[in-house]
Amino acid sequence: MELQNYIAKNGIPLEIEKGKQVFAQGELCDYVYLVKSGLLKAFYITADGKETIKSFIQAGTIIGSLNAAHCKVPSTFSLEALSRSELVQVPFYELLALSKKSISISQEFIQILLSLSLKKERREYELLTLSATERFENLCKDQPELVKKLTQNDIAKYLGITPVALSRIKHQ
Amino acid sequence: MELQNYIAKNGIPLEIEKGKQVFAQGELCDYVYLVKSGLLKAFYITADGKETIKSFIQAGTIIGSLNAAHCKVPSTFSLEALSRSELVQVPFYELLALSKKSISISQEFIQILLSLSLKKERREYELLTLSATERFENLCKDQPELVKKLTQNDIAKYLGITPVALSRIKHQ
DNA sequence: GTGGGGCATTAACCTATGTTAAAAATCACA
DNA sequence: TGTGATTTTTAACATAGGTTAATGCCCCAC
């Protein structure tokens, strides 16, 4: 909580309207964001122009392009609001510097990274071993409230299939 | 390096013969392993008995089921030697405890977790946006030496396709 | 209310990958 | 060096999901 409090107190508040982007794929972005309210999606645009969704971000989450922030390279994905969202922005290096001075902050950092790894591991597992139908069933079971807020377009892009395929799956 | 040195000095050395497992899916395993030599695979067995490979682990890597260790739950995957491997074993909580006492260790911990996240992100990206053919090409380009050491069976299971499909891809 | 834009569904056809099985190649080592 | 075991290839067929396009729906701006 110490870390979240720090961000909430020292960060710059942002308001992102529905459909607007926080940062875009290809840009440098070494900030980290705490989501206070709203709903966002992190997504890739592939070489042939198709969109696939990496994750949905709900209130209470800390999000940012670790890659971009940590390695000083352009972000591989974009972050866009699906509904009006309130964020608080803080430079990544500021948190890293903070963690160098306080054991409790660095412990919190470790916990956040651990749970991030677990989330990614779960997703990797599902992509690797489950069919689109099973992934859809899991999503509906695990996050029914989230599913209600999403369009089928976005659900499909998250599952890694087309909206047409998702419609077929739903109809059977 | 401090962390690796600690493990090397204080851990229990293990020798795993080709084909033998370090730990198995479903078991509790709250150790972390430093690989000194050899090659291993981390893999899932799905409900219908199929194997999919999560990752290959080469010398110099630290590996373990973070999930199992951190949350005290059974591991979701198995770790098996593809060739005779030398590991050093250390309890995960011991490293965590160490990181609570030393800022430099916790910084190193953070760096390891960050790079783990980046690896997983890359894999997630490939599974989500690339075809099997493209994933195979990437693997051959990025890790040619590794590819040489693997059977097509294992490469296929890593790519998320069958050996038959990989054979077809190679032949065109 | 009307018209336009995006979303969801449906259908027809196409392609990649799975499945099964058999043949061919390679390896392991007695 | 020969023989069995394992890996790889090939083939024939089945299925999931992609592509394109048409249709209907809903929402919202005017």
Side-chain angles (χ1 to χ4, degrees):
Chain A
M1 291 290 45
E2 213 179 321
L3 195 59
Q4 294 217 355
N5 286 343
Y6 175 87
I7 299 176
K9 283 205 182 117
N10 299 80
I12 299 171
L14 294 181
E15 241 187 67
I16 312 290
E17 293 302 321
K18 174 175 174 171
K20 295 284 179 242
Q21 301 197 347
V22 181
F23 58 82
Q25 185 170 338
E27 288 177 12
L28 264 159
C29 175
D30 44 14
Y31 292 105
V32 159
Y33 302 86
L34 170 62
V35 179
K36 306 213 77 164
S37 72
L39 178 63
L40 304 100
K41 65 175 172 182
F43 62 98
Y44 303 109
I45 301 290
T46 64
D48 51 333
K50 274 169 213 150
E51 175 184 334
T52 49
I53 296 180
K54 191 173 129 63
S55 61
F56 299 106
I57 298 102
Q58 296 176 279
T61 315
I62 291 177
I63 171 82
S65 176
L66 286 186
N67 208 334
H70 183 237
C71 309
K72 310 268 181 199
V73 296
S75 172
T76 55
F77 62 90
S78 302
L79 183 62
E80 178 179 319
L82 293 179
S83 62
R84 196 170 148 285
S85 301
E86 295 169 304
L87 314 187
V88 183
Q89 180 191 56
V90 106
F92 178 73
Y93 69 83
E94 207 171 301
L95 295 188
L96 211 51
L98 206 65
S99 80
K100 282 184 186 137
K101 291 200 189 121
S102 149
I103 280 273
S104 66
I105 293 269
S106 63
Q107 288 302 305
E108 212 178 318
F109 218 130
I110 287 173
Q111 291 305 319
I112 289 171
L113 289 173
L114 274 173
S115 72
L116 213 175
S117 285
L118 297 188
K119 238 189 252 172
K120 288 200 183 299
E121 189 151 319
R122 171 110 200 250
R123 180 111 159 104
E124 179 188 281
Y125 172 79
E126 296 193 336
L127 288 172
L128 204 47
T129 66
L130 302 183
S131 69
T133 303
E134 292 169 313
R135 294 198 299 269
F136 178 56
E137 285 167 355
N138 273 5
L139 181 66
C140 290
K141 198 182 55 180
D142 298 344
Q143 313 245 54
E145 1 58 50
L146 174 62
V147 169
K148 274 185 225 142
K149 291 181 202 149
L150 302 172
T151 65
Q152 297 212 177
N153 250 315
D154 280 340
I155 297 174
K157 285 176 206 149
Y158 176 76
L159 296 175
I161 59 178
T162 59
V164 179
L166 179 54
S167 177
R168 271 192 295 237
I169 285 172
K170 278 181 73 176
H171 215 71
Q172 208 30 252
Chain B
M1 289 291 47
E2 211 179 324
L3 195 57
Q4 294 215 354
N5 287 343
Y6 176 86
I7 298 176
K9 283 206 184 114
N10 300 79
I12 299 171
L14 293 182
E15 243 186 67
I16 311 290
E17 293 303 321
K18 174 176 176 173
K20 295 284 179 239
Q21 302 198 346
V22 181
F23 57 81
Q25 185 170 338
E27 287 177 13
L28 264 159
C29 175
D30 43 14
Y31 292 105
V32 159
Y33 302 86
L34 170 63
V35 179
K36 307 213 78 165
S37 73
L39 178 63
L40 305 100
K41 66 175 172 181
F43 63 98
Y44 303 109
I45 301 290
T46 63
D48 51 335
K50 274 171 213 146
E51 175 183 333
T52 50
I53 295 179
K54 189 175 131 65
S55 62
F56 298 107
I57 296 103
Q58 296 177 280
T61 315
I62 292 177
I63 170 81
S65 177
L66 286 186
N67 206 334
H70 184 237
C71 309
K72 310 270 182 196
V73 296
S75 172
T76 55
F77 63 89
S78 303
L79 182 62
E80 179 179 318
L82 293 179
S83 63
R84 197 171 146 285
S85 302
E86 295 170 303
L87 313 187
V88 182
Q89 178 191 56
V90 107
F92 178 73
Y93 70 82
E94 207 171 301
L95 296 188
L96 210 53
L98 206 64
S99 81
K100 283 187 184 137
K101 293 202 185 121
S102 149
I103 279 272
S104 66
I105 294 270
S106 62
Q107 289 301 306
E108 212 178 316
F109 218 131
I110 287 173
Q111 292 304 320
I112 289 172
L113 289 174
L114 274 172
S115 71
L116 212 174
S117 285
L118 298 187
K119 236 188 258 172
K120 285 198 185 299
E121 190 150 318
R122 172 112 200 252
R123 179 113 160 105
E124 179 189 281
Y125 172 79
E126 297 194 335
L127 289 171
L128 205 47
T129 66
L130 303 182
S131 68
T133 304
E134 292 168 312
R135 294 199 300 267
F136 179 56
E137 285 165 355
N138 273 5
L139 182 64
C140 290
K141 199 182 56 184
D142 297 345
Q143 312 245 57
E145 2 59 50
L146 173 61
V147 170
K148 275 184 225 143
K149 291 182 203 147
L150 302 173
T151 65
Q152 295 210 179
N153 248 314
D154 281 340
I155 298 175
K157 285 176 207 152
Y158 176 75
L159 296 175
I161 59 178
T162 61
V164 178
L166 179 54
S167 176
R168 272 190 296 236
I169 286 172
K170 278 182 74 175
H171 213 70
Q172 209 28 253

